[in-house]
């Protein structure tokens, strides 16, 4: 029989995160610090709005691009928070999570052979989505000594005449790195002079812990018309299961993204869209409460790692921390598997997010402080054992 599977899809590796989820799900008394999902329930007033929409029979398709009311609230929110101005009707698209928006942008913009610069370590979907769209993903290896920020020198070295899109995955999953205003300013002329487009994934924008707060590259001079802005409701509003995101950008690009969305999806979930309107209108206090809780956990983990003598830069975004375990002479996967087997704590090897993640682990602090304290006690015991083995 003829091979039924596309060559392109066979060359794409499954997510490196899933292995550890599958193992820990079968392990009694295990603590998982691997899931990139808020431990908070969706706030009640947001759930109530979704429930109310069901009770009122609002269960039909919305327009392909999303509820008009939701798109208006998205544009109001972005202007209020980040100084971004988009037209709700022609420059805004509601999607099934931020991941669909990434896929749509690549498929709408890439021709075969176009290069996509992907700073790594980073979210697992960028590289396969670029490949599936016919693009050529080009990883840029970020460095711990630069706090995993993209530098001007790294960008200049990666650009070629075939480069079309630069992905900016900040605040970053898995490292927690951010790009502050000065960092973004340092790469603007490189982007503009090389006529690049930027896909900026700002799903963790609200979870930024610097005094400056989050700055979007789309707000900077010359960038609005060459930037696809992607965000969603999963992280800031604890709405992962509602599967709702959005993209904003130039009409000429959004129009083509909408075309693909029409044929592949039709529209995002109606109930989720009504709930999201409430989130944007009245969810600021919820976001602030959750951000404060994450920030407390973040500071606790940084403090504990320093007590253990475990090298780790201080992250200022998202809800992840990326400790360096190279001193133990194991690969990230070997360390994570042994830690899971011996101490029943699941973390994710850094290599799940790109080859340059080797020697690091992703630890999520989207968990209760009690769970984090117990997991860190087990980690301290584990690395004490490893250091004793090295000395003997």
């Amino acid at each position: 029989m003829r091979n039924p599977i596309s060559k392109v899809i066979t060359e794409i590796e499954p997510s490196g995160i899933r292995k550890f989820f599958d193992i820990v799900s079968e392990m009694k008394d295990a603590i998982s610090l691997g899931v990139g999902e808020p431990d908070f329930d969706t706030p009640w007033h947001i759930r109530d709005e979704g429930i109310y929409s069901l009770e009122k029979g609002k269960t039909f398709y919305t327009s392909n691009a999303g509820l008009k009311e939701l798109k208006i609230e998205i544009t109001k929110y972005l202007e209020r928070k980040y100084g971004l101005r988009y037209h709700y009707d022609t420059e805004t698209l509601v999607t099934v999570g931020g991941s669909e928006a990434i896929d749509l942008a690549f498929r709408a913009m890439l021709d075969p052979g176009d290069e996509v610069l992907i700073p790594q370590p980073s979210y697992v979907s960028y590289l396969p989505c670029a490949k599936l769209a016919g693009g050529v993903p080009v990883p840029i290896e970020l460095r711990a000594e630069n706090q995993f920020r993209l530098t001007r020198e790294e960008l200049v070295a990666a650009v070629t005449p075939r480069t079309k899109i630069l992905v900016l995955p900040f605040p970053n999953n898995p490292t927690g790195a951010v790009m502050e205003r000065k960092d973004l300013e340092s790469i603007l002329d490189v982007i503009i002079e090389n006529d690049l487009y930027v896909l900026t994934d700002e799903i963790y924008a609200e979870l930024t812990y610097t005094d400056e707060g989050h700055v979007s590259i789309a707000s900077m001079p010359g960038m609005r018309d060459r930037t696809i802005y992607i965000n969603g409701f999963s992280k800031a509003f604890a709405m992962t299961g509602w599967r709702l995101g959005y993209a904003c950008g130039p009409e000429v690009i959004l129009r083509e993204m909408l075309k693909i969305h029409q044929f592949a999806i039709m529209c995002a979930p109606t109930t989720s869209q009504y709930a999201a309107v409430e989130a944007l209108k009245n969810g600021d206090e919820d976001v602030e409460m959750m951000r404060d809780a994450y920030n407390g956990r973040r500071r606790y983990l940084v403090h504990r790692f320093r007590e253990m003598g475990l090298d780790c830069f201080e992250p200022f975004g998202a809800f992840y921390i990326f400790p360096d375990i190279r001193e133990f002479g194991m690969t990230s996967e070997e360390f994570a598997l042994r830690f899971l087997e011996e101490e029943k704590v699941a973390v994710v090897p850094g290599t799940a997010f790109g080859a340059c993640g080797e020697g690091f682990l992703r630890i999520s602090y989207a968990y209760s402080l009690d769970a984090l304290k117990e997991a860190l006690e087990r980690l301290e015991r584990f690395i004490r054992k490893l250091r004793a083995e090295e000395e003997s």
Side-chain angles (χ1 to χ4, degrees):
M1 291 178 65
R2 181 183 301 179
N3 184 354
I5 308 301
S6 157
K7 290 181 180 179
V8 174
I9 195 65
T10 58
E11 293 173 357
I12 293 174
E13 294 292 329
S15 169
I17 303 173
R18 298 310 311 177
K19 176 194 291 190
F20 290 85
F21 289 171
D22 294 341
I23 295 172
V24 78
S25 67
E26 303 294 326
M27 186 176 288
K28 187 178 179 181
D29 299 326
I31 299 173
S32 175
L33 301 184
V35 180
E37 180 171 42
D39 61 320
F40 296 99
D41 293 330
T42 304
W44 257 117
H45 67 101
I46 299 173
R47 283 183 274 167
D48 278 340
E49 194 61 32
I51 293 166
Y52 181 70
S53 75
L54 293 172
E55 291 175 340
K56 297 297 286 184
K58 297 179 179 180
T59 57
F60 300 94
Y61 294 131
T62 68
S63 71
N64 294 134
L67 280 173
K68 177 180 178 180
E69 184 181 2
L70 176 55
K71 292 188 293 178
I72 289 172
E73 289 304 322
I74 287 170
T75 58
K76 287 181 178 178
Y77 180 84
L78 292 181
E79 183 170 5
R80 173 167 60 90
K81 289 283 187 174
Y82 309 118
L84 302 175
R85 292 186 177 183
Y86 294 104
H87 192 281
Y88 78 88
D89 191 39
T90 59
E91 298 180 320
T92 306
L93 171 62
V94 180
T95 60
V96 182
S99 295
E100 190 211 349
I102 294 165
D103 181 43
L104 293 178
F106 284 154
R107 286 203 275 168
M109 297 177 70
L110 293 173
D111 286 316
D114 286 342
E115 292 178 351
V116 181
L117 302 183
I118 304 174
Q120 290 186 335
S122 61
Y123 179 52
V124 297
S125 289
Y126 305 128
L127 190 148
C129 283
K131 280 188 176 180
L132 289 170
V136 178
V138 179
I140 301 177
E141 296 191 358
L142 306 184
R143 301 177 181 277
E145 54 264 35
N146 298 325
Q147 297 188 322
F148 291 103
R149 303 177 190 219
L150 175 64
T151 68
R152 175 188 172 82
E153 293 73 25
E154 289 165 339
L155 179 57
V156 168
V159 173
T160 77
R162 301 220 61 162
T163 306
K164 187 169 188 180
I165 299 176
L166 166 66
V167 175
L168 280 184
F170 299 97
N172 183 267
N173 168 16
T175 65
V178 299
M179 291 282 281
E180 296 181 274
R181 183 178 298 277
K182 66 179 186 299
D183 302 311
L184 296 172
E185 288 173 342
S186 73
I187 62 173
L188 287 185
D189 64 318
V190 182
I191 293 168
I192 294 169
E193 288 171 9
N194 288 279
D195 195 22
L196 306 183
Y197 289 90
V198 172
L199 185 149
T200 181
D201 182 354
E202 302 184 16
I203 193 75
Y204 293 100
E206 286 282 13
L207 305 182
T208 300
Y209 313 108
T210 60
D211 293 337
E212 178 183 52
H214 180 71
V215 177
S216 174
I217 194 167
S219 69
M220 308 195 80
M223 291 308 303
R224 184 191 184 281
D225 290 337
R226 58 176 68 249
T227 301
I228 301 300
Y229 177 94
I230 291 173
N231 207 325
F233 298 85
S234 293
K235 312 303 182 179
F237 296 100
M239 294 178 66
T240 51
W242 298 79
R243 302 313 306 131
L244 203 67
Y246 56 89
C248 296
E251 180 181 358
V252 65
I253 301 174
L254 266 287
R255 183 171 58 239
E256 304 309 312
M257 290 172 64
L258 174 59
K259 190 188 298 181
I260 303 167
H261 177 76
Q262 285 173 334
F263 294 126
I265 300 295
M266 181 66 75
C267 67
T270 301
T271 305
S272 301
Q273 293 192 57
Y274 281 107
V277 171
E278 170 65 18
L280 293 174
K281 282 184 172 180
N282 300 304
D284 283 5
E285 290 185 5
D286 304 305
V287 173
E288 185 176 352
M289 177 276 293
M290 289 186 276
R291 181 173 57 242
D292 287 347
Y294 293 136
N295 194 22
R297 301 171 193 178
R298 178 188 71 89
R299 286 181 283 135
Y300 170 73
L301 262 66
V302 170
H303 171 71
R304 286 290 284 118
F305 286 150
R306 287 173 179 166
E307 283 188 332
M308 294 180 207
L310 193 61
D311 190 25
C312 183
F313 86 101
E314 182 172 1
F316 286 100
F319 41 56
Y320 308 106
I321 195 163
F322 207 59
D324 185 337
I325 48 90
R326 287 176 289 185
E327 68 168 284
F328 302 107
M330 288 185 276
T331 67
S332 296
E333 184 159 333
E334 288 169 344
F335 186 103
L337 281 171
R338 185 172 166 186
F339 185 34
L340 179 58
E341 290 166 358
E342 296 184 21
E343 295 291 346
K344 296 186 177 181
V345 178
V347 295
V348 182
T351 46
F353 308 95
C356 61
E358 183 61 88
F360 297 85
L361 305 172
R362 187 191 79 170
I363 295 176
S364 168
Y365 50 87
Y367 296 90
S368 72
L369 203 52
D370 287 342
L372 291 171
K373 287 179 179 178
E374 174 60 28
L376 269 285
E377 286 179 9
R378 297 185 191 185
L379 177 60
E380 185 171 28
R381 182 169 62 217
F382 181 65
I383 64 176
R384 255 200 321 261
K385 183 195 304 181
L386 293 180
R387 286 169 178 159
E389 290 174 1
E390 290 176 356
E391 292 174 0
S392 61

